[in-house]
Amino acid sequence: MNHSESPKQNENPGLLTHLGAVRWLILGFFVWCALLVLTDLIVHRHLTFAEGLLPIEGRFGFYAVYGFVAYVLIVWGSIFLRKALMRSEDYYDE
Amino acid sequence: MSEVHPALILLAGGLFLFCLPTTPRRIVSVCLPALGFLNLLTIADGTLWHITWGGYELTVMRADRLSMLFGYLFHLAAFIGAIYALHLKDRLQIGMGLIYAGSAVGAVFAGDLITLFIFWELLAITSVFLVWARGGERALRSGMRYLVMHIASGLLLLLGAVFYYLNTKSLAFDHIGLNEGHHYLIFFAFGIKCAFPLLHNWLIDAYPESTPVGTVFLSAFTTKAAVYALARGFAGEELLIYIGAIMTIFPIFYAAIENDMRRVLGYSMINQIGFMVAGIGIGGALGINGAVSHAFNDVLFKGLLFMSMGAVLFSTGRINASDLGGLYKSMPWTCACCIIGAASISAVPLFNAFISKSMVMQGVADSGAVAIWLVLLFASAGVLHHAGVKIPFFSFFAHDAGIRCREAPLNMRIAMTISAILCIVIGSYPPLLYNLLPHPVDYVPYTTTHVVLQLQLVFFAVLAFVVLISTSEIDIYLETQKKRGIVGILLLIGKHPPELPGVNLDFDWIYRRALPKSIRAIVRTGGPLVNAFFQNGKALVRKLVMGVQKRHDNRGLFGRSWLSQSNVLLAIIFLAIYLIYYF
C-alpha cells in the first residue's frame, strides 16, 4: 500500500524485546490474578440468578475458573477445528 | 420543528460529493453527518410523516426513542467514518459511504414496511460498491455473492409485506411477532441482514474484501439496521434467544482459527450481534435496552477495531496474523487505540461493553434460562480470545515480523481516537447512553460484585492465554533445569497454536464449492445420457415420419388412387358383413 517499509524507524528495539521486562510483566500479572480471586473471600457477593437456580455461581472462584477453562477449551477446540476445516489459501480460486 | 427528513441530508449530500473536487469534498463529507445530526436534534419525539402513494398510506418518518437512538448512532458512525476517509482521493468510497449511511437512517425512521423495503434495498445496492471499491476479481465475486444475499433479503421483506397487508390491511411497521406463517418471511429478511447462523456468510465473505475505509462503513450500518428492525418487529420472541446463543458461540471457534484479522473481526461481529439478538429475544425493558445499547457500543468498539486493522492494512499492506507482529514499535498510536477497542469489546469495567452486555446477561438470568446464560458467559470468555487478545497481540506484539512502516495517517488516528474516547467515556459514565435508551433504565452496572466477577472472568481468560503462550518457554526452561516439578503441570494444558495461513471451510462452501462442483459433475456424467436420449428420440421421430410418409405417398396404402370398382367391391363386402352380423 501507500506507506510501505521505511527503514528510518528501525532503531527502536521496543520495550518488550527485553526478556527481563516481559518476565516482570508476567509475574505482576500472576500476582494481580491471585489478588483478584482472593477478593472472593472478602467481598460479599450478590448472585446474578434468583436463589437456587445456579448455586455454583456463588462458589469461590467460579468466574475465574469458568474464564480460564472456557479459554483453554476454545484453544483445544480450535486445534481440532483447524485440522477439520483448514484448506490452502487458494482453495476457492482453484 | 424540522421540515427535512433525517435521511435526506446524507442521501442528497452523498450524491453531491460526486460533483465536488478533492478539498471541498473532504470538508463537506465531514460536515454532512454533523449537519444531519443537528437536523435530527430538531425532530421531536413522536413525530409522524405520512404520504399517500397509490392508495396506500405510508409513514415515511416515525421518530420515537428507538429510532432516534439509532439515528444518533448512524450519524456518529458516518462522522467518524468520514474523518477516517479524509486521506482518500477517490469519490466513490466517501460518496457511496454517506449515501449508504443515509439509507440506514431512512430504514430506522421508516414507519411502514414499504418505506422500509425501499431503504432496505438501497442499503444493499449502495454498500456493495464499498466491497467493489477494493478492485480485482476477488472483490468483484465477493460483492456479487453479497448482493445476491441482500437482494434476496429485500425480496423476502417485500413478499412478507404483501402477505402482511393482505391479512391485516395494514403496512405499519410495528410489532409483528411470529404467530403467523408468513411473518417468518419478514423475520428471515431481517435474519439475513442480521447474519443469522447459516445466513451469515455474506458478512465473513464480503467485509474483509473491502478497502480499509469501506469495511469501517460496512461494519456500522447494515447489521445494526437489522438489529433495530428485529427489536421493532420481533421483540420478546423466544426463538431469538436460541438463535442469539448460537450466534455467540460458533463464531468464536472460527475466529480462533482465522488468519485474516478483518475476517476475525467479522466473526467477532456475529458473536456480538448474538448478544443483541438474545437480548431482543428476552424482550422487556432490560432485554431491549441491553440489545440496543450493545448495538450502539458495538458500532464504536468494533468500528475502532476495524479502523485499527484497516490502518495496519493501509500502512503495511498486510492483514494476515501470520505475517504481522511487533507493530507496536512502528504504530504505537494505532496499537493504543486497538488495545482500547479490545478492552471495550471484552467488557472490561470502565469500557463501554461492560455497561451494555451485562444488561443482556442480567435479562437472561432474570428469565431463568441457566443454560443460555452459561453459553453467553462462555462466549464472553471467547471474545477475550479472538478480539481481546488475538487481534492486538498478533498484530502489534508476538514475534517481530520485521515490518517497519509509518504510523497511520493523521485523519485515521483522529477517527480512532474519537472512538476510543467515546468507548471509555460511555463505559465510565453510563447515564450518557442510558438516558437515550427506549425504556427507562433500572439497572446499575457498577456494583462491587459485578466489577469483581467480570474482572475475574476477563483476567483469568487472559491468564489462560499467558500460560498457553508461555508453555513453549516453560518447556525449554524445565528441560534445561532438568526438573519438572509443579510448574510442569502447566504443560498438560497445551500450547497456544501458531497463526497459519489458509482458508477455513464455512457454510458458504455449499454454494461456493459443493453446488458448482455437483452441477459440473451432473453435466459431465449426465451429458452423454441426455445426448443419447435426444439422439434416440430424434431417430424414433424420424422413423415415424418416414413410416407415415411411406403409407401416404403416391404408392402407399392410404395415398395411392384406388379403382372405383375396388371401392364398390369393398362397400359391398362391408354391407354383407353388417347384414350377417345383424341377423
Side-chain angles (χ1 to χ4, degrees):
Chain A
M1 283 247 173
N2 304 10
H3 294 250
S4 53
E5 333 269 314
S6 141
K8 280 185 183 175
Q9 297 175 23
N10 211 1
E11 298 86 37
N12 179 7
L15 175 73
L16 300 182
T17 46
H18 301 297
L19 204 59
V22 176
R23 277 188 184 154
W24 277 109
L25 268 175
I26 291 177
L27 187 69
F29 183 71
F30 284 165
V31 173
W32 164 246
C33 286
L35 288 175
L36 261 180
V37 77
L38 287 174
T39 53
D40 269 5
L41 298 173
I42 48 169
V43 174
H44 173 69
R45 286 163 47 175
H46 301 277
L47 294 179
T48 315
F49 279 90
E51 200 66 41
L53 264 179
L54 187 65
I56 195 176
E57 188 206 345
R59 293 279 174 82
F60 173 79
F62 169 74
Y63 282 81
V65 172
Y66 201 90
F68 190 92
V69 170
Y71 196 102
V72 172
L73 286 180
I74 290 164
V75 170
W76 286 357
S78 70
I79 292 168
F80 165 75
L81 205 66
R82 186 175 269 174
K83 278 183 187 156
L85 298 178
M86 191 168 253
R87 300 288 183 277
S88 69
E89 275 186 298
D90 54 356
Y91 178 75
Y92 284 119
D93 303 325
E94 283 167 8
Chain B
M1 185 74 187
S2 172
E3 295 293 328
V4 182
H5 190 283
L8 191 67
I9 291 173
L10 288 174
L11 289 175
L15 274 177
F16 179 59
L17 287 184
F18 283 92
C19 316
L20 290 176
T22 309
T23 308
R25 187 172 62 240
R26 285 174 173 164
I27 297 166
V28 174
S29 69
V30 178
C31 292
L32 280 173
L35 202 66
F37 187 80
L38 291 177
N39 177 51
L40 206 58
L41 293 178
T42 65
I43 295 172
D45 191 8
T47 311
L48 294 170
W49 287 1
H50 301 288
I51 60 162
T52 308
W53 176 74
Y56 302 101
E57 188 173 271
L58 304 181
T59 312
V60 290
M61 210 266 288
R62 178 242 324 261
D64 61 8
R65 287 181 71 84
L66 184 60
S67 50
M68 288 297 266
L69 175 76
F70 279 87
Y72 297 140
L73 173 63
F74 289 159
H75 280 88
L76 183 61
F79 179 70
I80 294 170
I83 294 175
Y84 190 75
L86 274 176
H87 63 283
L88 290 178
K89 287 197 175 116
D90 82 302
R91 294 152 205 261
L92 179 77
Q93 290 185 62
I94 185 60
M96 271 306 170
L98 290 188
I99 297 172
Y100 171 46
S103 313
V105 174
V108 297
F109 281 97
D112 67 88
L113 291 168
I114 296 300
T115 310
L116 180 69
F117 163 75
I118 292 166
F119 284 112
W120 205 252
E121 291 294 37
L122 209 53
L123 271 172
I125 294 162
T126 50
S127 57
V128 76
F129 284 96
L130 296 174
V131 181
W132 286 335
R134 180 99 177 258
E137 201 183 327
R138 272 176 74 102
L140 188 71
R141 282 171 180 270
S142 178
M144 282 309 294
R145 289 191 291 270
Y146 171 89
L147 193 60
V148 166
M149 287 299 278
H150 285 263
I151 295 291
S153 163
L155 293 178
L156 273 179
L157 175 59
L158 183 64
L159 201 62
V162 169
F163 279 112
Y164 189 75
Y165 180 77
L166 291 175
N167 280 273
T168 62
K169 299 291 171 223
S170 163
L171 280 170
F173 178 34
D174 292 310
H175 182 77
I176 297 169
L178 288 173
N179 39 355
E180 297 277 348
H182 60 269
H183 291 183
Y184 281 90
L185 293 171
I186 302 176
F187 182 74
F188 282 110
F190 296 166
I192 290 176
K193 276 217 188 335
C194 217
F196 277 4
L198 306 186
L199 302 173
H200 66 277
N201 286 103
W202 61 267
L203 195 159
I204 305 302
D205 185 11
Y207 282 12
E209 294 301 334
S210 181
T211 59
V213 169
T215 311
V216 170
F217 272 97
L218 287 167
S219 72
F221 301 108
T222 300
T223 50
K224 304 308 171 297
V227 166
Y228 160 83
L230 278 179
R232 173 77 71 190
F234 298 97
E237 288 300 334
E238 196 183 343
L239 180 60
L240 284 174
I241 302 175
Y242 306 114
I243 292 176
I246 296 169
M247 286 174 77
T248 59
I249 204 82
F250 87 89
I252 56 181
F253 290 98
Y254 269 103
I257 59 173
E258 182 57 59
N259 193 32
D260 183 323
M261 289 301 205
R262 293 195 301 170
R263 205 152 264 139
V264 171
L265 287 175
Y267 280 113
S268 175
M269 180 173 262
I270 298 173
N271 161 274
Q272 294 300 312
I273 298 168
F275 284 98
M276 298 165 213
V277 170
I280 295 167
I282 292 293
L286 194 58
I288 297 297
N289 277 345
V292 298
S293 60
H294 201 51
F296 193 101
N297 288 335
D298 184 69
V299 168
L300 292 173
F301 58 67
K302 192 55 60 60
L304 177 54
L305 289 169
F306 267 119
M307 280 193 277
S308 61
M309 286 303 106
V312 166
L313 176 62
F314 181 84
S315 294
T316 67
R318 307 179 193 186
I319 197 62
N320 287 341
S322 54
D323 300 333
L324 295 171
L327 276 176
Y328 77 96
K329 298 168 197 168
S330 305
M331 303 179 77
W333 195 272
T334 307
C335 171
C337 289
C338 182
I339 290 172
I340 292 172
S344 301
I345 196 173
S346 307
V348 175
L350 299 181
F351 295 87
N352 59 355
F354 177 76
I355 66 152
S356 52
K357 199 201 285 182
S358 52
M359 269 198 274
V360 175
M361 297 293 285
Q362 190 60 54
V364 174
D366 289 352
S367 75
V370 177
I372 297 289
W373 186 83
L374 287 171
V375 168
L376 297 190
L377 196 66
F378 186 91
S380 299
V383 176
L384 248 298
H385 179 272
H386 62 258
V389 172
K390 180 171 174 168
I391 293 283
F393 183 78
F394 288 101
S395 307
F396 297 103
F397 305 100
H399 70 281
D400 190 342
I403 305 167
R404 298 294 176 265
C405 60
R406 285 188 200 150
E407 175 59 283
L410 181 65
N411 64 303
M412 284 188 171
R413 277 181 278 154
I414 291 172
M416 287 190 279
T417 308
I418 292 172
S419 283
I421 290 171
L422 284 171
C423 284
I424 297 172
V425 169
I426 292 172
S428 310
Y429 187 64
L432 212 59
L433 178 59
Y434 283 1
N435 289 337
L436 297 174
L437 294 179
H439 302 285
V441 179
D442 181 26
Y443 176 76
V444 183
Y446 284 105
T447 62
T448 314
T449 305
H450 186 208
V451 170
V452 168
L453 298 187
Q454 184 63 20
L455 283 174
Q456 285 182 358
L457 184 82
V458 167
F459 281 102
F460 271 78
V462 179
L463 179 69
F465 163 74
V466 173
V467 169
L468 287 164
I469 207 83
S470 313
T471 41
S472 310
E473 285 193 24
I474 292 171
D475 201 13
I476 296 163
Y477 172 76
L478 294 176
E479 277 295 314
T480 52
Q481 298 293 310
K482 300 280 180 209
K483 58 185 177 189
R484 286 274 156 187
I486 189 117
V487 192
I489 295 170
L490 292 177
L491 296 176
L492 297 174
I493 298 171
K495 294 174 188 173
H496 202 288
E499 297 301 318
L500 299 172
V503 164
N504 300 309
L505 304 185
D506 198 340
F507 189 70
D508 58 346
W509 177 82
I510 299 286
Y511 57 80
R512 289 178 71 180
R513 194 66 186 244
L515 265 181
K517 230 176 169 181
S518 312
I519 291 168
R520 255 178 260 137
I522 289 168
V523 170
R524 208 168 36 241
T525 54
L529 284 175
V530 174
N531 281 345
F533 174 78
F534 280 114
Q535 274 170 5
N536 288 338
K538 265 191 226 165
L540 199 72
V541 170
R542 204 177 298 125
K543 230 174 173 178
L544 201 71
V545 170
M546 280 174 72
V548 170
Q549 210 171 18
K550 200 175 163 190
R551 278 157 189 78
H552 284 81
D553 66 3
N554 291 342
R555 285 174 297 167
L557 183 66
F558 304 111
R560 67 181 177 231
S561 309
W562 289 78
L563 291 171
S564 49
Q565 299 95 313
S566 312
N567 286 336
V568 172
L569 183 67
L570 205 63
I572 290 168
I573 291 169
F574 275 118
L575 276 171
I577 292 169
Y578 176 74
L579 282 170
I580 293 162
Y581 179 74
Y582 187 76
F583 286 109

